[in-house]
Amino acid sequence: QKEVEQNSGPLSVPEGAIASLNCTYSDRGSQSFFWYRQYSGKSPELIMFIYSNGDKEDGRFTAQLNKASQYVSLLIRDSQPSDSATYLCAVNEPSGGYQKVTFGTGTKLQVIP
Amino acid sequence: DVKVTQSSRYLVKRTGEKVFLECVQDMDHENMFWYRQDPGLGLRLIYFSYDVKMKEKGDIPEGYSVSREKKERFSLILESASTNQTSMYLCASRPGGMRETQYFGPGTRLLVL
């Protein structure tokens, strides 16, 4: 069973701090990686994607990918109360000729004002 | 903007009823997906479709069927609803290509009594 693992949290950080969210995956064939944010009662929305080893920055968000160690992380700088949500890691992997997306169970982030 | 719509936001059904959940996307995406989301279990794939009239089982297809007669529409059918199918149901669509992300609909919260 191919897996995507995340710590469920909650991860609590003070406003203005850096929040660090981590995700590990089991399939070495995985090629693309996504971070979604999901507010309570809402559907997931994409915030970052990364394909290559290293860092990718977009505003206050940085995604980091290390394929050798099979982990992907999301850093949120200057955390705001509006960042409080569940963050889902998703991994795109080839599966029997198709592309299958496997989601982690999510990490709940709480930003304390 | 990609738009994925689902037929209902909230639905209450009785055990044994046949339930239809409909999903429509307006971006000519090849791939469409049905997930259910439960606390602590994350997003679990029920069925997906990569083309009209094509369907593939996901991780938890038991008790469900799907239909894709037109490219823009993907229906999830609960043949005989049971209380353990009470859940949030999320539809998603995605273009072809390994690096493409999924776009989610708003979700249908189904309660089976």
Side-chain angles (χ1 to χ4, degrees), chain A residues 1-2 4 7 14-15 27 29 35 57-58 60-61 71 74 84 90 95 101-103 105:
Chain A
Q1 177 82 14
K2 299 173 184 174
V4 177
N7 189 320
E15 184 175 354
D27 186 359
W35 282 100
E57 188 174 316
D58 183 2
R60 296 186 297 113
F61 299 98
Y71 82 79
L74 179 70
S84 297
S95 176
V101 177
T102 301
F103 286 83
T105 53

Side-chain angles (χ1 to χ4, degrees), chain A:
Chain A
Q1 177 82 14
K2 299 173 184 174
E3 294 182 345
V4 177
E5 302 276 354
Q6 294 181 258
N7 189 320
S8 60
L11 172 67
S12 294
V13 299
E15 184 175 354
I18 296 175
S20 178
L21 306 164
N22 298 312
C23 171
T24 60
Y25 60 94
S26 63
D27 186 359
R28 287 194 172 273
S30 302
Q31 297 181 17
S32 44
F33 308 85
F34 306 88
W35 282 100
Y36 291 83
R37 177 177 60 201
Q38 187 175 24
Y39 292 113
S40 180
K42 302 292 186 181
S43 56
E45 56 177 333
L46 180 73
I47 51 172
M48 287 289 287
F49 60 88
I50 187 165
Y51 312 129
S52 304
N53 273 331
D55 295 0
K56 179 181 178 182
E57 188 174 316
D58 183 2
R60 296 186 297 113
F61 299 98
T62 299
Q64 299 175 317
L65 175 61
N66 184 323
K67 288 188 176 181
S69 300
Q70 295 175 244
Y71 82 79
V72 56
S73 61
L74 179 70
L75 300 178
I76 307 174
R77 289 182 300 282
D78 188 24
S79 296
Q80 301 297 309
S82 58
D83 294 326
S84 297
T86 297
Y87 289 80
L88 303 174
C89 172
V91 175
N92 220 6
E93 57 203 20
S95 176
Y98 311 115
Q99 298 157 27
K100 184 181 173 185
V101 177
T102 301
F103 286 83
T105 53
T107 297
K108 186 172 184 178
L109 174 66
Q110 294 176 339
V111 180
I112 311 300

Side-chain angles (χ1 to χ4, degrees), chain B residues 50-69:
Chain B
Y50 57 92
D51 201 353
V52 176
K53 295 191 186 294
M54 305 303 287
K55 60 185 179 183
E56 291 291 329
K57 292 180 180 179
D59 299 317
I60 52 163
E62 296 78 19
Y64 303 94
S65 62
V66 290
S67 172
R68 194 168 181 200
E69 296 295 319

Side-chain angles (χ1 to χ4, degrees), chain A residues 99, chain B residues 3-6 22-35 45-52 54-56 66-68 70-75 90-96 102-103:
Chain A
Q99 298 157 27
Chain B
K3 192 167 184 182
V4 181
T5 58
Q6 294 183 229
E22 298 228 310
C23 175
V24 177
Q25 51 97 1
D26 66 356
M27 286 301 292
D28 202 37
H29 288 169
E30 291 86 351
N31 304 292
M32 296 188 74
F33 307 81
W34 275 106
Y35 295 89
L45 181 64
I46 304 171
Y47 268 97
F48 66 100
S49 169
Y50 57 92
D51 201 353
V52 176
M54 305 303 287
K55 60 185 179 183
E56 291 291 329
V66 290
S67 172
R68 194 168 181 200
K70 293 184 178 182
K71 192 174 186 179
E72 67 270 18
R73 189 179 299 268
F74 192 34
S75 301
L90 289 160
C91 174
S93 73
R94 190 184 78 201
Q102 296 189 349
Y103 298 87

